[in-house]
Amino acid sequence: MSTRDSWRSSWGNGYSGGGGGGGGGAAFGSTSFGGTSAWGAGGGDTIFRVLSRGSFQDRGSKRHSGIFSAFSRDGIYEEDDLSLYSEGDIDIPPISKAEDWVLMPDVKNYAERGEKDNLKSRKLGVTWKNLTVKGVGADAAFNENVGSQFNVPRNIKEGRQPPPLNTIIEDSHGCVKPGEMLLVLGRPGSGCTTLLKMLANRRNGYAEVNGEVKFGSMTAKEALQYRGQIVMNTEEELFFPTLTVGQTMDFATRMKVPYHKFSDQHSDKDFQQEYRDFLMKAMGITHTADTKVGNEYVRGVSGGERKRVSIIETLATRGSVFCWDNSTRGLDASTALEYTKAVRAMTDVVGLSSVVSLYQAGNGIYNLFDKILVLDEGKEIFYGPREQARPFMEELGFICGDGANVGDFLTGVTVPTERSVRPGMELSFPRTAEEIRADYMRTDIRATMEKEYSYPQSDEAKENTKEFQAAIAYDKDKTLPKKSPLTVSFSKQVKACVARQYQIVWGDKPTFIIKQLATLIQALVVGSLFYKASTDSSGLFSKSGALFFSLLYQALMALSEVTDSFAGRPVLAKHKAFAFFHPAAFCIAQIAADLPVLLFQVTQFSLVLYFMVGLKVSASAFFTYWVTLFAIAMCITAVMRAIGAVFSTFDGATKLSGFWFSALVVYTGYFIPKTQMHPWFVWIYWIDPLSYGFELLLSNEVHGQVIPCVNQNLIPNGPGYTNPAFQSCAGVMGARQGATSVTGDEYLAAFSYKHSHLWRNFGIIWAWWAFFVFVTIVATSNWKESAGKSGFLVIPRERATKNKQILQKDEESQIKEKKTSGDAVTPLDSSSSSSMDEKTIDNQLISNTSVFTWKNLTYTVKTPSGDRVLLDNVQGWVKPGMLGALMGSSGAGKTTLLDVLAQRKTEGSITGSVLVDGRPLSVSFQRSAGYCEQLDIHEPLSTVREALEFSALLRQPRETPKEEKLKYVDTIINLLEMQDIEHTLVGRTGAGLSVEQRKRLTIGVELVAKPSILIFLDEPTSGLDGQAAFNTLRFLRKLAAVGQAVLVTIHQPSALLFKEFDTLLLLARGGKTVYFGDIGVEAGTLKDYFARNGAPCPKDANPAEHMIDVVSGTASQGKDWNQVWLESPEFKEVSNEVDRINKEAASKPPGTVDDGHEFAMPLWQQILLVTNRMNVALYRNTDYVNNKFALHIGSALFNGFTFWKIGNSVGELQLKLFTIFNFIFVAPGVINQLQPLFIDRRDIYEFREKKSKMYSWVAFVTGLIVSEFPYLCICAVLYFAPWYYTVGFPTDSNKSGAVFFVMLFYEFIYTGIGQFIAAYAPNAVFASLVNPAIITILVSFCGVLVPYNQIQEFWRYWIYYLNPFNYLISSILTFTVFDVEVKCKDREFALFDTPNNMTCGEYLAPYTAGLGARTNLINPDARSGCRVCQYRLGSDYLSTLNIGDYYVGWRDAGIVVIFAISSYVMVYALMKLRTKATKKAQ
């Protein structure tokens, strides 16, 4: 076995990521070098950075210009390559184009180990023919609004039409053999991602996939069981943000430890740690091991570092076929080149098949590939060897400029504004993708490439596939099924998932701690509410209330599982695609992680509540209570997880969880005894785990006890009535008529409960738990990754007429062309607003005369390990008309510097000076400077034009007329070429604007504000293709030309882009300056500086890439370039110049006059504009509004039919109380749905709009509150109508109207409560944990669970009166029950005889005149069998609830209104508390 193959197998089997070598290879035996080594064909930066200058340093970089490529695998070496080597060199050139990679010594080591262990290779390759892919839906979809969705005729008409199919890839062919790298080029929307998904065997969500894709000699279906070896790295970075980089990589590598390791590795841990360290070293992120990965809202590693984590997590799969979708997005030029070299190195050495799509690929990266495939509108306009791509296009008449990126040239040939045509070819060159493809089909290149399509049928492919399958089987744990795509045993998967689950919990400590604190506080509060409940009949209701509450709280805490389920889902879908673990392992891990958390939660809750309430004091009773609560907590957690897992959308899950939760609570048996449940809903009782828990707890408490009747429950009672023979229990379930006490078992029997059911019920609860766990596992196993219907525009239905041009043409298609009479080519103008000539636009752009400087700027933040300096004495300036570049490697502090300069930081300390015209920054600075952030954060439900108008109206000076502001929006729309999309919604990724369109909108939103000082842009070209990046920069150049000052951070500028800049500020890690000053013509000044200091720029190199390489990459030569700068004459000149600029500017009048206003517009105008935007957004948010409506209608019908036509007996009075009490529970479901929306809007405000001083937080809160009002009014009607009349409440308008009035204001109260929790909560999950605490306290003290006179005095005199639910229930009860005549049922009468042959009236006269004044004696003349009903009228019953008179109803209704207002005041108060001032330089 050759060393090279052994190397490949070592990747496959024991080390870094798999796929066999290509054809024959050059292998060098021990005789050549006195030791085994491997020459890899790969080249990259990321994973195999090992190749270093060790073996070949002396040959310099000349070899990179050679065209040695995949042909080496067939033993064909080109003369150019051989000429690179002198006589003294080895006689065969090296296999890889990337052997200057840093990790080659490790590679050699693995090769030796692989050969020694005789491991099989894992070469595969991928070939496709006649591949056509279609997606569902046109390129634009309608977004219905609340009104338009009810247009039934149109909905029926549109529903009958089959959904249009949209061709994404049309007739594509290709072959990537083992050891080859293919670069897929295309503009956004041309189908690159879809092609990569097909080649990674991911077909979900596409309507049709025709053609043949083969992996080795396997069909796509056969390859499904090898999904862990055919992997794709997508553009999104999906991680658990609270895990550290080290934890994330630990997990990934643990999941891919082979069953048979290298012979010198003794344990799984040895392999895993060695592999993890190698990957992290390869991508240069070892230093981030203990830093959180983070995301947009959780602080963690930098964007570039996060992308590198994404790359090495993909490499951790040890796959054979890798598809990389725009994986260099957000990486600096040096790291991007290193990453590509790593992939090259591994591809060559290990024999992977690598398919890469890139935007803005520099020529250094481009030259590392073997083959190029160019897509345009889904059509393959070129596929062939890299060396022939440029000549092919040039032969057609296109010109590739000097220094231009060849990749950008190839994708720009069909775009009239991008391409250059050779003189003489203007009339004959191909203009469209079809014409270029037709030319390509006639070339020899196509014929040559077609020969490769038979590769799957070749003996080599069959042999490779056989070896691949054997190698995978050899790697796989023996306990796994034969067809399993996984690697490690199920027990190891569970173990790793459990460890990760604990890390996630621990990473988010605040949430965990709050959960436990809330539980303790809740137990103390409720324990004190039911404190020392008596053992007689007056304590029965309190004790059963305490038991019910014990169950209710566990259920409420489990509600947050629904939100949690959606938070981690994208990560799990990704890991499933990587074949890391079986979804069942994740579900079991969640349960295992629950055990200690829930045990702790239930234990502290039980210890406090059980003994405070004074429940039965025996060890067996306590432990039965404790273990039942634990079982219920586990079971309801499983229920909520199952609901989360079954639904694909959060809205759908919250809808069901809201309904299901209220059903579980109502049918527990506490509100309605089982004997009184209506037959149509009694089945809910049987499937409700809480009902089994309640029976268990109640029988555990009362079994074997004798409960004497006292007070109201004993008739008659009081002075003179002491003989039990002439008394009877009343209003106590199970009490025999004539008896003065009831046994526990009689009480249980009245509910149809039995103590003998105790352990049966315990088993049933666990059976339900097992069932819901099973449902969760099945549902989780079927989770799909995001579907292929992506990249379509969304048009609001009310704007349909303004978007006709989009509906009529493919959104991704290029500008169609037509030939005019003179045969000149002119693009058709498809804009919806009149286009303006450039001169008009230039005249309207605002110029600037202010100079912006910063000196000795240092920014320090506190970390667990002490203070960390992120910026270290940085200085510089931006002048009018200047386009400044801010560059540095990933993590050098570029974004941090922009944030500090733009006054966007709220944490840490800043020292140094930041001045405008030599003066401190004014109060209006933040809105006078434009700042385009790296993340494109916008209101998803506004259109492009609305977003621009909103910014213009709020940020341009108040003196500017509205017409002028809107006219300027037209200018910017024309300037940014957004006429086609101005009336489409921003949307979210996949359904809405593309990355590039979003970026243009971000820039537009800042430009329409007419920034008068300068414009900051943070990586405006990241994620864009070369043309879009060039257009963006060309446009910034235009701004600078009219006198604007612009400062831009940029990651991977091509030489062409770099030329556009005037000055450069170059930062090294730690925010240290390496250079500041002019770039010079053709970067001459910059090159001179570095050449003088020992780092000359090679002739053909891109100076931008060279600089980054010098600062942080392989060309740094170990120098401290910050020190070099500090000792240079340029540094002294810069320091002096900053002082001179400040002094000169301070002596003149300021270029920008501060108007003294923090916000451009007055508060009232802000409120109107913000409220209007929120109204429109909610009107378009049909999911949210429909959910709200559905929850109200569903809950109302459920409540109404559960308490159908309640009568007027004593027991039914309590049912009336409970049906009203049940109305309260519409709140949790709606609040859970409302908060994520509030927090999303708040994030948009805090991360962008607040920082640019667009509008005040007061306007923000007002807009959010007011926009809900119309829907809350409708919701009140939707609950009232189906509920009020079905339960049989009085139909008089004075009563029903009063009830509706109170219900309407309850809608406002709970919305206010939900919003004020969300206003201060850090995230939606946190808010969903605080909700139960607040709602349960309000529910507990409203006088229902514990009547007013039994509430402990400590609570009775304040929290009862501060509780809005108290007044809500009290007022509705008054209006519906006060004057009802009570009619006792037979079993409800107190039945007893009289002493001494007295009549009942005579015997009871003293009683009815005193304590029994409100009772109703039915037969006063009888001398035995006296029948007494507890109440005469509803008002008698209400008196026991602290409602003394009818006026209390209206009084309480008025107080409800006051509470509605005060809940909204709380939203303002908590939003104000949360709003932090930004930091200024000290």
Side-chain angles (χ1 to χ4, degrees):
M1 178 179 183
S2 74
T3 310
R4 181 173 175 195
D5 278 349
S6 70
W7 207 121
R8 290 181 174 138
S9 42
S10 67
W11 162 271
N13 197 65
Y15 218 77
S16 341
F28 300 96
S30 53
T31 50
S32 306
F33 290 91
T36 309
S37 66
W39 302 101
D45 145 30
T46 310
I47 264 327
F48 268 64
R49 243 184 122 194
V50 216
L51 225 171
S52 186
R53 301 169 294 279
S55 312
F56 298 117
Q57 180 134 19
D58 54 329
R59 304 206 183 109
S61 58
K62 183 182 172 192
R63 69 179 43 84
H64 284 287
S65 61
I67 21 170
F68 187 81
S69 68
F71 302 111
S72 62
R73 278 174 306 284
D74 301 316
I76 301 167
Y77 300 109
E78 304 200 10
E79 205 174 323
D80 285 13
D81 298 297
L82 297 174
S83 68
L84 298 176
Y85 298 90
S86 64
E87 298 253 339
D89 285 336
I90 339 166
D91 53 349
I92 302 173
I95 296 166
S96 179
K97 292 181 187 166
E99 79 260 336
D100 55 348
W101 198 42
V102 196
L103 299 182
M104 191 45 109
D106 300 31
V107 175
K108 291 181 187 172
N109 173 31
Y110 303 140
E112 287 174 7
R113 291 154 83 185
E115 182 177 17
K116 186 174 143 196
D117 294 348
N118 232 6
L119 303 175
K120 288 189 186 302
S121 70
R122 293 158 55 139
K123 304 183 285 238
L124 204 53
V126 57
T127 312
W128 65 102
K129 287 192 294 192
N130 311 320
L131 180 63
T132 298
V133 182
K134 294 183 179 179
V136 177
D139 293 288
F142 282 116
N143 180 80
E144 299 297 349
N145 56 49
V146 173
S148 73
Q149 64 179 336
F150 297 113
N151 186 336
V152 179
R154 191 189 59 224
N155 292 346
I156 292 171
K157 183 184 166 191
E158 289 181 0
R160 289 169 73 177
Q161 296 168 350
L165 292 186
N166 163 30
T167 302
I168 305 169
I169 299 284
E170 187 183 311
D171 196 26
S172 175
H173 305 72
C175 173
V176 185
K177 293 180 186 172
E180 287 186 345
M181 278 178 78
L182 169 70
L183 175 60
V184 178
L185 293 170
R187 305 195 72 195
S190 59
C192 298
T193 299
T194 299
L195 178 60
L196 263 63
K197 281 189 174 179
M198 293 301 113
L199 303 187
N201 214 11
R202 295 185 179 194
R203 299 184 171 208
N204 275 340
Y206 292 99
E208 271 182 35
V209 179
N210 299 315
E212 181 180 82
V213 182
K214 292 236 173 165
F215 299 90
S217 60
M218 293 183 288
T219 63
K221 197 171 181 183
E222 290 166 344
L224 280 174
Q225 78 173 82
Y226 299 103
R227 67 166 187 259
Q229 277 63 46
I230 302 165
V231 292
M232 177 169 175
N233 176 249
T234 58
E235 216 173 334
E236 300 90 43
E237 283 125 41
L238 305 168
F239 295 105
F240 289 110
T242 57
L243 291 183
T244 65
V245 173
Q247 288 166 344
T248 303
M249 289 312 302
D250 262 341
F251 180 78
T253 47
R254 282 177 77 176
M255 294 290 90
K256 288 291 181 175
V257 176
Y259 186 69
H260 295 101
K261 292 166 281 296
F262 284 136
S263 53
D264 58 356
Q265 285 172 332
H266 303 297
S267 69
D268 288 359
K269 200 166 185 183
D270 288 350
F271 173 87
Q272 182 259 324
Q273 287 182 347
E274 189 180 345
Y275 187 23
R276 179 202 63 202
D277 295 346
F278 172 68
L279 290 172
M280 291 182 68
K281 193 167 142 196
M283 274 318 289
I285 52 169
T286 314
H287 63 282
T288 65
D290 296 325
T291 311
K292 283 184 182 176
V293 177
N295 60 11
E296 301 94 306
Y297 310 119
V298 175
R299 203 167 112 198
V301 296
S302 72
E305 286 165 342
R306 195 175 305 123
K307 175 54 82 178
R308 284 186 262 173
V309 177
S310 172
I311 288 166
I312 61 174
E313 187 186 46
T314 307
L315 286 163
T317 57
R318 296 171 47 242
S320 297
V321 175
F322 280 96
C323 294
W324 302 94
D325 187 18
N326 198 11
S327 297
T328 59
R329 180 182 174 185
L331 298 184
D332 60 80
S334 172
T335 309
L337 180 60
E338 286 293 297
Y339 148 73
T340 318
K341 283 185 180 179
V343 176
R344 176 78 262 177
M346 290 182 301
T347 302
D348 293 343
V349 175
V350 183
L352 310 183
S353 302
S354 299
V355 184
V356 186
S357 79
L358 296 177
Y359 291 152
Q360 300 182 56
N363 290 338
I365 292 174
Y366 176 85
N367 289 332
L368 289 167
F369 287 87
D370 303 317
K371 295 175 178 175
I372 306 295
L373 189 152
V374 185
L375 285 174
D376 194 299
E377 297 175 33
K379 299 174 180 67
E380 193 174 293
I381 61 173
F382 178 83
Y383 164 65
R386 171 183 51 79
E387 300 84 353
Q388 297 179 22
R390 178 174 169 174
F392 166 73
M393 292 298 183
E394 288 179 331
E395 280 170 23
L396 296 180
F398 301 108
I399 299 172
C400 181
D402 292 336
N405 282 350
V406 181
D408 294 345
F409 159 68
L410 295 175
T411 54
V413 291
T414 56
V415 189
T417 53
E418 311 297 341
R419 64 188 173 210
S420 306
V421 180
R422 205 164 63 232
M425 300 279 289
E426 290 89 354
L427 301 180
S428 59
F429 76 92
R431 287 164 171 76
T432 62
E434 288 90 345
E435 290 176 24
I436 297 176
R437 176 148 82 168
D439 283 331
Y440 168 72
M441 297 301 279
R442 292 192 287 270
T443 62
D444 294 340
I445 304 171
R446 181 192 69 109
T448 309
M449 299 316 286
E450 274 187 349
K451 291 174 186 167
E452 293 188 340
Y453 302 160
S454 60
Y455 175 73
Q457 287 77 48
S458 68
D459 292 341
E460 182 192 346
K462 288 173 184 168
E463 183 59 33
N464 282 347
T465 307
K466 207 170 169 185
E467 279 211 2
F468 165 83
Q469 289 169 333
I472 300 304
Y474 189 67
D475 260 8
K476 202 164 30 179
D477 193 282
K478 299 304 169 212
T479 58
L480 290 171
K482 199 174 176 184
K483 289 199 170 179
S484 169
L486 309 173
T487 306
V488 300
S489 67
F490 188 71
S491 61
K492 286 177 183 170
Q493 294 169 36
V494 172
K495 199 174 161 190
C497 286
V498 170
R500 181 178 68 171
Q501 212 56 31
Y502 282 126
Q503 287 164 349
I504 291 169
V505 170
W506 194 241
D508 192 11
K509 285 192 279 291
T511 304
F512 173 73
I513 290 165
I514 289 223
K515 215 171 181 175
Q516 301 314 320
L517 275 177
T519 302
L520 181 61
I521 292 165
Q522 206 67 47
L524 286 165
V525 168
V526 176
S528 62
L529 173 69
F530 298 104
Y531 188 64
K532 290 197 172 164
S534 59
T535 53
D536 52 38
S537 65
S538 65
L540 267 179
F541 190 63
S542 293
K543 281 186 175 177
S544 54
L547 297 174
F548 168 71
F549 184 84
S550 302
L551 298 172
L552 175 69
Y553 184 72
Q554 311 309 321
L556 270 171
M557 288 304 272
L559 262 180
S560 66
E561 288 299 329
V562 178
T563 316
D564 273 352
S565 168
F566 284 87
R569 183 172 297 191
V571 188
L572 300 173
K574 175 178 81 169
H575 286 172
K576 183 186 169 191
F578 284 169
F580 278 171
F581 54 82
H582 192 281
F586 169 72
C587 296
I588 291 166
Q590 278 189 309
I591 294 161
D594 286 343
L595 288 171
V597 174
L598 289 179
L599 272 172
F600 181 73
Q601 182 179 308
V602 166
T603 303
Q604 61 163 343
F605 185 87
S606 305
L607 284 169
V608 172
L609 189 127
Y610 193 90
F611 296 107
M612 283 183 79
V613 175
L615 297 174
K616 191 189 280 184
V617 186
S618 79
S620 63
F622 170 74
F623 283 108
T624 303
Y625 170 84
W626 173 80
V627 78
T628 304
L629 285 200
F630 177 69
I632 285 291
M634 289 290 285
C635 187
I636 304 299
T637 299
V639 171
M640 294 307 164
R641 262 192 206 139
I643 291 172
V646 165
F647 280 84
S648 58
T649 65
F650 178 68
D651 280 339
T654 46
K655 215 181 292 178
L656 182 68
S657 63
F659 281 141
W660 190 233
F661 180 78
S662 55
L664 292 183
V665 169
V666 171
Y667 282 85
T668 302
Y670 172 71
F671 289 147
I672 316 175
K674 179 178 170 293
T675 48
Q676 293 180 34
M677 290 176 186
H678 288 293
W680 52 75
F681 276 156
V682 76
W683 57 270
I684 298 176
Y685 172 85
W686 294 113
I687 63 166
D688 181 357
L690 293 180
S691 68
Y692 295 98
F694 187 65
E695 179 181 357
L696 198 165
L697 291 180
L698 196 62
S699 60
N700 178 51
E701 178 59 30
V702 302
H703 171 66
Q705 295 197 2
V706 175
I707 302 147
C709 297
V710 295
N711 304 336
Q712 289 173 319
N713 299 127
L714 186 63
I715 296 179
N717 67 64
Y721 298 100
T722 53
N723 188 342
F726 306 111
Q727 292 174 300
S728 175
C729 288
V732 179
M733 296 279 286
R736 295 186 315 278
Q737 289 185 317
T740 56
S741 64
V742 61
T743 67
D745 290 320
E746 285 172 342
Y747 183 67
L748 289 173
F751 292 95
S752 77
Y753 292 166
K754 287 183 181 172
H755 181 254
S756 59
H757 290 169
L758 194 144
W759 293 110
R760 179 205 74 173
N761 287 2
F762 186 71
I764 290 172
I765 292 168
W766 283 109
W768 278 120
W769 170 82
F771 171 73
F772 287 113
V773 166
F774 175 74
V775 169
T776 308
I777 289 172
V778 170
T780 308
S781 300
N782 291 318
W783 277 354
K784 301 280 189 279
E785 280 201 283
S786 56
K789 184 190 171 190
S790 62
F792 56 92
L793 291 173
V794 183
I795 299 167
R797 178 64 80 174
E798 66 274 21
R799 295 271 190 278
T801 52
K802 295 186 178 182
N803 277 297
K804 280 183 180 161
Q805 83 286 352
I806 293 181
L807 297 171
Q808 288 162 2
K809 76 177 184 66
D810 180 336
E811 182 267 325
E812 294 291 1
S813 68
Q814 312 297 345
I815 297 171
K816 295 290 182 281
E817 297 181 346
K818 64 177 181 184
K819 292 188 179 180
T820 58
S821 53
D823 273 335
V825 179
T826 57
L828 282 177
D829 181 16
S830 60
S831 66
S832 56
S833 40
S834 61
S835 59
M836 309 179 186
D837 62 36
E838 295 223 351
K839 202 168 272 186
T840 314
I841 291 175
D842 289 352
N843 290 341
Q844 289 195 10
L845 290 173
I846 192 165
S847 65
N848 159 41
T849 55
S850 293
V851 183
F852 183 73
T853 63
W854 60 97
K855 187 170 184 187
N856 299 334
L857 204 55
T858 300
Y859 177 57
T860 313
V861 292
K862 295 195 180 305
T863 67
S865 53
D867 286 358
R868 184 173 166 198
V869 177
L870 297 182
L871 294 175
D872 191 354
N873 283 311
V874 183
Q875 52 193 352
W877 64 80
V878 189
K879 296 178 181 175
M882 173 179 137
L883 182 56
L886 173 52
M887 292 178 65
S889 59
S890 302
K894 300 181 295 295
T895 302
T896 305
L897 177 58
L898 280 198
D899 282 346
V900 169
L901 292 178
Q903 287 197 291
R904 300 294 173 101
K905 289 291 184 194
T906 54
E907 309 288 340
S909 65
I910 303 167
T911 58
S913 67
V914 181
L915 306 173
V916 173
D917 291 330
R919 298 165 175 81
L921 303 183
S922 63
V923 70
S924 63
F925 171 76
Q926 278 172 269
R927 67 177 165 81
S928 306
Y931 188 175
C932 303
E933 302 215 19
Q934 195 171 341
L935 300 164
D936 305 309
I937 298 173
H938 298 284
E939 164 55 62
L941 288 165
S942 66
T943 65
V944 169
R945 175 172 278 280
E946 285 164 359
L948 294 170
E949 288 181 351
F950 183 73
S951 180
L953 292 170
L954 279 170
R955 285 179 63 188
Q956 286 188 29
R958 56 185 73 185
E959 296 77 26
T960 310
K962 182 178 178 182
E963 297 70 32
E964 197 178 309
K965 291 180 180 180
L966 296 180
K967 191 178 174 193
Y968 192 65
V969 170
D970 291 334
T971 306
I972 298 300
I973 285 175
N974 277 281
L975 187 65
L976 291 172
E977 295 165 5
M978 295 200 289
Q979 304 93 326
D980 277 2
I981 57 169
E982 63 177 307
H983 296 297
T984 64
L985 292 184
V986 175
R988 300 193 183 279
T989 315
L993 301 185
S994 66
V995 173
E996 182 256 348
Q997 289 164 336
R998 252 167 231 279
K999 189 61 74 180
R1000 275 192 278 161
L1001 177 59
T1002 302
I1003 295 170
V1005 163
E1006 294 304 316
L1007 286 182
V1008 292
K1010 284 194 174 176
S1012 56
I1013 297 176
L1014 82 163
I1015 301 171
F1016 299 104
L1017 298 104
D1018 191 10
E1019 294 188 25
T1021 60
S1022 280
L1024 306 188
D1025 68 310
Q1027 278 80 24
F1030 184 70
N1031 286 347
T1032 304
L1033 220 57
R1034 189 184 62 188
F1035 164 62
L1036 295 177
R1037 183 74 264 172
K1038 187 183 286 185
L1039 286 179
V1042 296
Q1044 190 56 269
V1046 186
L1047 182 60
V1048 182
T1049 67
I1050 193 155
H1051 254 334
Q1052 296 175 37
S1054 64
L1056 210 59
L1057 292 186
F1058 194 58
K1059 280 181 195 170
E1060 298 289 323
F1061 291 100
D1062 302 315
T1063 60
L1064 169 69
L1065 172 52
L1066 188 57
L1067 294 178
R1069 186 170 292 285
K1072 296 175 189 295
T1073 307
V1074 172
Y1075 179 83
F1076 176 75
D1078 288 344
I1079 292 172
V1081 180
E1082 298 292 331
T1085 314
L1086 184 62
K1087 287 178 181 174
D1088 287 349
Y1089 171 77
F1090 280 98
R1092 265 190 293 121
N1093 290 294
C1097 180
K1099 189 180 174 211
D1100 296 330
N1102 174 353
E1105 291 179 6
H1106 175 70
M1107 299 316 143
I1108 302 289
D1109 214 21
V1110 166
V1111 176
S1112 59
T1114 48
S1116 63
Q1117 304 168 4
K1119 280 189 184 180
D1120 179 351
W1121 284 94
N1122 172 241
Q1123 199 55 42
V1124 172
W1125 166 249
L1126 294 175
E1127 292 166 3
S1128 69
E1130 283 87 350
F1131 169 68
K1132 294 178 183 63
E1133 283 172 28
V1134 167
S1135 300
N1136 295 335
E1137 181 66 5
V1138 172
D1139 292 338
R1140 189 194 65 74
I1141 292 171
N1142 287 338
K1143 195 174 176 183
E1144 189 180 308
S1147 64
K1148 297 177 185 171
T1152 310
V1153 180
D1154 178 26
D1155 57 11
H1157 301 300
E1158 186 179 6
F1159 301 101
M1161 299 300 286
L1163 183 60
W1164 177 242
Q1165 288 291 323
Q1166 294 173 38
I1167 288 172
L1168 286 177
L1169 287 163
V1170 174
T1171 305
N1172 179 56
R1173 179 174 77 158
M1174 300 286 186
N1175 277 330
V1176 171
L1178 264 192
Y1179 183 61
R1180 289 175 181 156
N1181 195 345
T1182 48
D1183 276 354
Y1184 174 77
V1185 173
N1186 291 350
N1187 255 347
K1188 220 180 186 55
F1189 290 170
L1191 209 56
H1192 278 80
I1193 295 169
S1195 300
L1197 288 171
F1198 180 71
N1199 195 356
F1201 282 98
T1202 294
F1203 296 95
W1204 172 260
K1205 299 292 180 194
I1206 307 170
N1208 294 326
S1209 68
V1210 172
E1212 287 169 322
L1213 287 178
Q1214 186 137 330
L1215 291 184
K1216 289 187 179 187
L1217 168 66
F1218 279 140
T1219 187
I1220 294 165
F1221 182 61
N1222 203 31
F1223 166 55
I1224 285 177
F1225 288 97
V1226 75
V1230 182
I1231 286 176
N1232 268 358
Q1233 183 210 2
L1234 165 153
Q1235 286 173 333
L1237 183 82
F1238 186 101
I1239 289 170
D1240 276 353
R1241 298 288 181 273
R1242 188 194 70 194
D1243 286 341
I1244 293 170
Y1245 171 66
E1246 288 189 341
F1247 281 87
R1248 187 170 62 80
E1249 295 167 342
K1250 183 184 91 173
K1251 290 175 177 177
S1252 55
K1253 298 287 182 189
M1254 198 180 271
Y1255 54 88
S1256 159
W1257 63 271
V1258 177
F1260 168 74
V1261 174
T1262 309
L1264 269 172
I1265 289 172
V1266 173
S1267 61
E1268 290 273 2
F1269 283 178
Y1271 305 101
L1272 295 178
C1273 295
I1274 295 169
C1275 283
V1277 174
L1278 294 179
Y1279 199 103
F1280 175 81
W1283 169 68
Y1284 187 86
Y1285 298 104
T1286 45
V1287 293
F1289 280 152
T1291 52
D1292 318 357
S1293 58
N1294 65 329
K1295 292 192 170 63
S1296 57
V1299 170
F1300 176 74
F1301 174 79
V1302 177
M1303 288 175 70
L1304 173 63
F1305 276 90
Y1306 175 61
E1307 294 286 337
F1308 298 143
I1309 287 176
Y1310 79 71
T1311 303
I1313 291 172
Q1315 288 183 332
F1316 81 63
I1317 293 170
Y1320 202 70
N1323 54 50
V1325 174
F1326 182 92
S1328 68
L1329 291 173
V1330 175
N1331 297 336
I1334 290 183
I1335 287 169
T1336 45
I1337 286 175
L1338 294 177
V1339 162
S1340 306
F1341 291 98
C1342 67
V1344 173
L1345 295 179
V1346 180
Y1348 172 76
N1349 55 9
Q1350 289 181 33
I1351 297 175
Q1352 294 299 316
E1353 289 186 2
F1354 173 75
W1355 299 114
R1356 194 188 308 165
Y1357 297 119
W1358 66 282
I1359 202 166
Y1360 173 81
Y1361 290 106
L1362 289 176
N1363 188 344
F1365 292 4
N1366 157 31
Y1367 299 100
L1368 168 81
I1369 290 171
S1370 154
S1371 54
I1372 296 180
L1373 262 177
T1374 306
F1375 299 136
T1376 53
V1377 174
F1378 194 85
D1379 44 13
V1380 164
E1381 190 178 328
V1382 178
K1383 293 175 181 170
C1384 269
K1385 292 181 176 172
D1386 278 354
R1387 59 184 172 74
E1388 293 175 337
F1389 284 109
L1391 191 63
F1392 51 87
D1393 295 330
T1394 58
N1396 308 323
N1397 205 25
M1398 296 169 75
T1399 65
C1400 294
E1402 291 165 351
Y1403 174 57
L1404 292 176
Y1407 175 69
T1408 50
L1411 287 173
R1414 292 182 181 274
T1415 57
N1416 185 12
L1417 174 62
I1418 300 296
N1419 52 350
D1421 300 327
R1423 296 182 183 278
S1424 67
C1426 302
R1427 295 164 71 82
V1428 179
C1429 186
Q1430 265 183 296
Y1431 310 114
R1432 293 170 188 277
L1433 297 169
S1435 55
D1436 300 328
Y1437 168 66
L1438 294 183
S1439 67
T1440 65
L1441 299 173
N1442 197 34
I1443 301 172
D1445 211 333
Y1446 192 78
Y1447 82 87
V1448 170
W1450 281 109
R1451 181 202 71 185
D1452 289 355
I1455 295 173
V1456 166
V1457 174
I1458 294 168
F1459 269 109
I1461 295 165
S1462 62
S1463 72
Y1464 285 131
V1465 170
M1466 284 292 286
V1467 186
Y1468 286 99
L1470 286 166
M1471 194 67 200
K1472 172 64 179 163
L1473 265 178
R1474 186 186 165 82
T1475 307
K1476 293 179 182 175
T1478 50
K1479 295 278 180 183
K1480 297 188 178 181
Q1482 302 297 314

